[in-house]
Amino acid sequence: MKLSDVMSAMRLETYAEIAMVLFMLAFAGVVYQLLRRRNVAEFEHARQLPLSEDLAPTPLSEEK
Amino acid sequence: MPMSARAEKFTYDDAIVRKFAFATIIWGLVATLAGLWVALIMVVPALSFGQPWLTFGRLRPLHTNAAIFAFAGNAVFAAVYYSTQRLLKTRMFSDGLSKFHFWGWQAIIVAAAITLPLGITQSKEYAELEWPIDIAIAVVWVAFAINFFGAIAKRRERHLYVAIWFYIATVITVAILHIFNNLVVPAGLFKSYPIYAGVQDAFMQWWYGHNAVAFFLTTPFLGLMYYFLPKAAGRPVFSYRLSILHFWSLVFLYIWAGPHHLHYTALPEWASTLGMLFSVMLWMPSWGGMINGLLTLRGAWNRVSQDPVLKFFVVGITFYGMATFEGPLLSIKSVNALSHYTDWTIAHVHSGALGWNGFMTFGMLYWLAPKLFQTQLWSKKLAEIHFWIGTLGILFYIVAIYAAGVTQGLMWRAFDETGRLAYPDFVETVVRIIPMYWVRVFGGSLFVAGVVLCLVNLLMTWKHRPKTYEEPVHEAPPLGAYAGTDPKPTVPAHPTMVSFAYQLRYFIDAAWHRVWERRPLKLSVWVAVSVVVASLFEIIPTFLIRSNVPTISTVEPYTPLELAGRDIYVAEGCYNCHSQMVRPIRSETERYGEYSKPGEFVYDHPFQWGSRRIGPDLHRVGGKYPHLWHLRHMDDPASTTQGSLMPPYPWLAQTELDFASIQPRVDAMAMLGVPYGKDVLAGQAEQTARAQASQIATELQQQGGPAGLESKQIIALIAYLQRLGTDIKRAPPAERNPELTAQSQPAGGQ
């Protein structure tokens, strides 16, 4: 009995479609989190990073 | 507390960026010159002067590898080394590793430039380099990864800017792609066979090929865009949120899209549909990214007319948008049926490579030059001229080649009113597009001229550098003990909610995401997980579900001589112009014969399906012409096919075939599970090959050919070509030699 026999017997033809749905769900999760996100200040800090090389690093006191 | 930590002093290593910047433009010139040369020998085949190392088949890989890995590669490294240090407020992890990375990479490029014209190749597009060089690439890449992640570990800015994310995705994914597409069994120092065969090999190759575009030519250049565009425009990126969305959607979607390179081939239907679906979805994030880039310039458009750097960036980003709109379009099966194997693909990749990668690189170099050489750019005017002739060059190139692609595609599928092919002679469809090939030569010359101007400008700027470079000292407090430890979520007391709900809300409020950003290790792991999981889900079924590759009982391994001939076919790069894949489309079966089946390729290590038909498909060429035709055709293609663009291969009839190397080749194939008979395995391969060679030589002589060819390379090549695609026409094995059948039938069957 080879691995390919097992895999064939398991009828995994739909394997890829299932994975696709999983991926879409995970991706939807990422998008949801991103849009919900309320940390405008942190985004703003990050956004300015390339412009201000001497910008003070994220102050740790801001961390929650 | 931590803000009171003592500030640390540090400097950035710009010497390494200068090195990479120069390497970029020098290799850029080599890559585009090689491109111009192959465009020229396409219209004037005599320019190969009968020299093996000057033919299109051997030089086209040199052009593509130089463009991708030497030009774009060095540009990526220049961008990464410059921006990473500044975004993380730290020097790279180790100056020694930086130098090793630089010199190692250049050595690899030189090795490629030597081996490819010599015909030392694995024949997988953009992964042609043979196994010893592949190992060197892996070593240098690991050094780069250590240097890069080491810098992240000792950074002084907790937040990782989105450009760094794109770099992380590049470093991880390229390593995975490179390793898995290059798993081979060596049959000598300069020859190897991939462990995959046929459909599976094709699948792996285009999983690699497509993602090389994604993670070598797209993600690092997006990192470049997200850093250098705001710098040049003097304003932050339009939407940081959109840039994060851009990142995750590329990581999630790109890795699935590879099979769109294999529509209507012997690839299983589900795989190609999946590839199409994900490719179409890719359109959205790509355009999100383009819009994000262009909107970054809002309020600064007046500066675009003044600043060549911004001009390059604007056109570069626009080409990103155009190429990523066209990509999904081409991945739709019905469009692909027309576009595949034509110049349409070539036009598509050049709009991406010249417009996106090229122009983003030039913009970056012009922006970097004054900073790296600490003086003014030598000539802004020259940069402006470069921009205009470069843009014109691209337009001439792609418009002509789009026209060539669509013309030829339509001619291939045209039927006349009697239901026969309107252009049954393949060469008719070639001759028609030659004027457009001349326009390409012209457009390409303009683009190369622009590269020369850039090189001159950089050299002159460098000449005006100060005697010693200033090394500004920066100051920032270390992250210290806080790097790597995350503050525990503080859950405020709340009487009406249980603490679990609070924890959940904390999580939903995206604390997890902030934690990711600050913990590059986690981010990297997730990138790797999504890439690996997507790949496995896509690849495993093709490998392990037998119904996807039905076996055919009459398909047998190549004889030792045919195998040697096949290796010549591979070495000469025939796959660069000839496909071996008749698609199940009426115009193709009319022109070439029975369509190709997955089971016909089970012994093809590597697969030779090709991606472009500059000449006709060869899968059913076996038995189509007498041996003598092949001999004359290889000696001078124009003598058998008037108007042919194929270069002559006179040396094949003069060079001795290395019979001694056949046994190790057969042994390597046997190791991969190719069922050679006992006789051949026991050291008889050479003898078997010689017997078949003398038989073919005799037949050649009977057909009126010259004598004394039985030990030459051409005999092996003819043996292979005459065998191609003939197995399914043979009688079932039961009616032939029963002993051979028992050995050659793969276990299982249908």
Side-chain angles (χ1 to χ4, degrees):
Chain A
M1 181 95 124
K2 281 159 57 181
L3 185 56
S4 53
D5 296 322
V6 180
M7 291 289 287
S8 303
M10 282 166 75
R11 304 194 57 87
L12 290 182
E13 285 85 350
T14 52
Y15 187 82
E17 281 86 341
I18 294 169
M20 192 176 90
V21 172
L22 289 179
F23 255 65
M24 306 267 273
L25 288 178
F27 181 63
V30 167
V31 173
Y32 177 71
Q33 299 297 347
L34 190 71
L35 296 180
R36 264 187 69 93
R37 186 157 169 161
R38 289 153 194 182
N39 255 304
V40 179
E42 187 159 348
F43 272 148
E44 192 50 35
H45 171 78
R47 192 166 163 252
Q48 298 291 345
L49 277 176
L51 289 178
S52 37
E53 268 149 22
D54 301 319
L55 190 79
T58 317
L60 289 174
S61 52
E62 267 182 29
E63 300 212 340
K64 295 173 190 117
Chain B
M1 27 173 228
M3 276 311 280
S4 62
R6 73 256 172 263
E8 286 178 340
K9 289 186 168 39
F10 54 95
T11 55
Y12 298 135
D13 180 7
D14 281 347
I16 192 70
V17 187
R18 282 188 282 271
K19 286 199 187 80
F20 276 120
F22 266 123
T24 303
I25 196 62
I26 290 167
W27 290 121
L29 185 61
V30 172
T32 49
L33 275 177
L36 186 58
W37 179 255
V38 292
L40 199 60
I41 55 178
M42 187 94 81
V43 276
V44 192
L47 279 176
S48 69
F49 304 111
Q51 293 300 318
W53 51 277
L54 277 180
T55 56
F56 182 85
R58 292 194 189 185
L59 288 186
R60 187 245 178 186
L62 180 74
H63 163 59
T64 52
N65 279 279
I68 298 172
F69 299 109
F71 172 58
N74 277 303
V76 165
F77 299 139
V80 169
Y81 277 88
Y82 186 85
S83 59
T84 298
Q85 299 187 72
R86 284 159 174 86
L87 287 169
L88 301 179
K89 297 192 185 354
T90 177
R91 206 176 167 88
M92 292 309 289
F93 180 63
S94 148
D95 286 6
L97 280 178
S98 301
K99 285 202 189 87
F100 176 75
H101 176 195
F102 177 80
W103 290 111
W105 196 255
Q106 312 315 315
I108 288 164
I109 296 169
V110 171
I114 294 170
T115 55
L116 291 173
L118 289 176
I120 297 168
T121 171
Q122 295 185 146
S123 87
K124 292 177 142 195
E125 289 179 58
Y126 329 124
E128 284 94 345
L129 303 177
E130 263 298 353
W131 66 274
I133 309 178
D134 284 338
I135 292 174
I137 294 173
V139 170
V140 172
W141 198 262
V142 167
F144 170 43
I146 294 172
N147 207 9
F148 177 72
F149 284 110
I152 291 180
K154 62 172 204 173
R155 72 194 191 277
R156 296 186 182 83
E157 164 59 53
R158 195 174 284 276
H159 192 103
L160 293 180
Y161 183 65
V162 70
I164 303 287
W165 302 19
F166 279 106
Y167 300 154
I168 289 176
T170 302
V171 173
I172 293 173
T173 314
V174 169
I176 297 173
L177 296 170
H178 174 71
I179 291 170
F180 284 96
N181 191 37
N182 285 303
L183 293 177
V184 296
V185 169
L189 187 55
F190 297 115
K191 179 67 198 164
S192 64
Y193 299 108
I195 62 169
Y196 323 103
V199 175
Q200 292 156 359
D201 194 37
F203 206 69
M204 285 307 285
Q205 157 59 21
W206 287 111
W207 167 80
Y208 163 88
H210 182 76
N211 290 304
V213 174
F215 291 92
F216 206 90
L217 298 177
T218 309
T219 54
F221 279 86
L222 288 169
L224 184 162
M225 174 184 94
Y226 279 119
Y227 179 79
F228 288 94
L229 179 67
K231 294 295 271 186
R235 51 196 63 221
V237 63
F238 169 67
S239 162
Y240 194 71
R241 191 172 268 165
L242 187 55
S243 69
I244 296 175
L245 183 64
H246 188 188
F247 173 81
W248 282 113
S249 28
L250 288 191
V251 169
F252 272 111
L253 300 180
Y254 240 123
I255 206 84
W256 296 82
H260 69 212
H261 290 258
L262 299 167
H263 282 332
Y264 294 112
T265 64
L267 192 73
E269 176 91 21
W270 64 263
S272 104
T273 304
L274 199 70
M276 172 176 113
L277 212 69
F278 272 89
S279 308
V280 172
M281 288 196 291
L282 265 173
W283 179 34
M284 287 180 291
S286 304
W287 272 46
M290 173 186 72
I291 289 165
N292 206 4
L294 292 179
L295 285 182
T296 298
L297 289 165
R298 78 202 183 291
W301 282 96
N302 56 320
R303 289 182 44 204
V304 174
S305 62
Q306 308 295 322
D307 186 358
V309 171
L310 287 179
K311 280 201 187 80
F312 274 112
F313 282 161
V314 166
V315 172
I317 293 166
T318 309
F319 268 110
Y320 173 64
M322 295 305 112
T324 55
F325 171 74
E326 192 189 9
L329 177 76
L330 289 174
S331 76
I332 295 169
K333 286 186 194 177
S334 47
V335 180
N336 198 271
L338 172 65
S339 74
H340 197 41
Y341 298 125
T342 75
D343 276 319
W344 192 340
T345 316
I346 318 298
H348 169 62
V349 300
H350 281 84
S351 84
L354 302 178
W356 162 242
N357 301 115
F359 270 31
M360 293 307 285
T361 299
F362 298 138
M364 176 188 76
L365 289 176
Y366 285 122
W367 185 85
L368 275 176
K371 276 143 195 101
L372 292 178
F373 304 125
Q374 298 177 2
T375 177
Q376 281 196 322
L377 184 66
W378 182 62
S379 166
K380 199 175 132 185
K381 188 149 191 197
L382 214 57
E384 290 275 351
I385 297 173
H386 175 193
F387 169 78
W388 287 110
I389 62 171
T391 306
L392 276 179
I394 298 174
L395 291 179
F396 274 113
Y397 184 115
I398 62 174
V399 170
I401 296 305
Y402 279 126
V406 176
T407 305
Q408 197 173 26
L410 291 174
M411 287 176 87
W412 286 344
R413 56 157 65 175
F415 286 97
D416 64 15
E417 59 276 16
T418 64
R420 276 172 284 207
L421 287 173
Y423 305 98
D425 258 352
F426 189 91
V427 73
E428 285 180 87
T429 73
V430 175
V431 173
R432 185 69 67 87
I433 58 177
I434 285 183
M436 300 162 209
Y437 281 3
W438 278 112
V439 179
R440 160 162 70 185
V441 172
F442 174 68
S445 310
L446 288 181
F447 195 87
V448 174
V451 177
V452 173
L453 294 186
C454 184
L455 178 62
V456 169
N457 214 343
L458 290 187
L459 279 175
M460 294 308 289
T461 310
W462 171 74
K463 261 188 96 174
H464 290 87
R465 70 194 183 281
K467 269 213 182 84
T468 49
Y469 289 117
E470 252 178 66
E471 257 205 352
V473 178
H474 303 268
E475 249 183 60
L479 293 185
Y482 291 90
T485 56
D486 286 295
K488 270 235 149 93
T490 46
V491 181
H494 199 292
T496 59
M497 282 173 112
V498 288
S499 94
F500 171 75
Y502 251 108
Q503 296 276 6
L504 190 69
R505 223 196 99 198
Y506 175 79
F507 182 80
I508 288 170
D509 277 357
W512 64 276
H513 201 269
R514 214 167 46 236
V515 168
W516 271 13
E517 284 166 18
R518 296 200 179 133
R519 302 192 72 176
L521 187 67
K522 268 196 184 168
L523 177 74
S524 311
V525 168
W526 278 106
V527 169
V529 165
S530 73
V531 166
V532 169
V533 169
S535 307
L536 290 182
F537 270 99
E538 214 175 29
I539 290 165
I540 285 178
T542 342
F543 277 67
L544 290 178
I545 298 177
R546 202 166 285 132
S547 64
N548 280 327
V549 187
T551 46
I552 298 170
S553 60
T554 56
V555 172
E556 287 171 8
Y558 297 105
T559 67
L561 185 69
E562 288 158 6
L563 180 65
R566 189 170 201 273
D567 289 344
I568 294 170
Y569 184 98
V570 165
E572 294 300 343
C574 303
Y575 65 91
N576 285 294
C577 296
H578 296 281
S579 57
Q580 288 188 15
M581 172 53 59
V582 181
R583 295 178 293 175
I585 296 173
R586 190 172 152 245
S587 57
E588 302 227 335
T589 53
E590 284 286 307
R591 186 182 297 278
Y592 302 117
E594 183 66 22
Y595 70 88
S596 307
K597 323 237 177 335
E600 291 185 79
F601 303 100
V602 290
Y603 304 124
D604 281 16
H605 299 266
F607 80 111
Q608 291 291 298
W609 293 0
S611 63
R612 169 79 180 95
R613 286 180 187 145
I614 295 168
D617 187 276
L618 295 181
H619 192 211
R620 301 285 175 222
V621 80
K624 193 173 175 186
Y625 304 103
H627 300 331
L628 186 59
W629 185 92
H630 285 293
L631 179 69
R632 289 191 175 145
H633 181 247
M634 295 309 293
D635 184 54
D636 179 15
S639 70
T640 53
T641 315
Q642 208 178 0
S644 170
L645 296 184
M646 187 166 138
Y649 287 82
W651 64 90
L652 291 178
Q654 294 149 14
T655 315
E656 294 289 322
L657 181 66
D658 183 6
F659 280 96
S661 77
I662 294 181
Q663 186 68 47
R665 287 166 195 250
V666 170
D667 292 344
M669 291 292 256
M671 238 181 99
L672 291 167
V674 176
Y676 278 105
K678 275 192 264 57
D679 291 350
V680 172
L681 279 184
Q684 300 295 310
E686 181 175 342
Q687 221 174 325
T688 318
R690 282 193 190 276
Q692 194 187 359
S694 75
Q695 191 195 337
I696 292 177
T698 312
E699 287 165 9
L700 243 178
Q701 224 175 326
Q702 286 161 359
Q703 291 165 9
L709 288 177
E710 61 275 356
S711 63
K712 308 294 182 196
Q713 289 189 344
I714 187 77
I715 294 294
L717 186 64
I718 289 176
Y720 170 62
L721 290 173
Q722 296 291 30
R723 170 74 185 275
L724 260 181
T726 55
D727 280 17
I728 59 163
K729 298 173 191 165
R730 292 197 293 186
E735 296 164 29
R736 297 196 318 269
N737 185 349
E739 218 176 290
L740 189 67
T741 313
Q743 292 159 354
S744 64
Q745 199 157 16
Q750 276 269 23

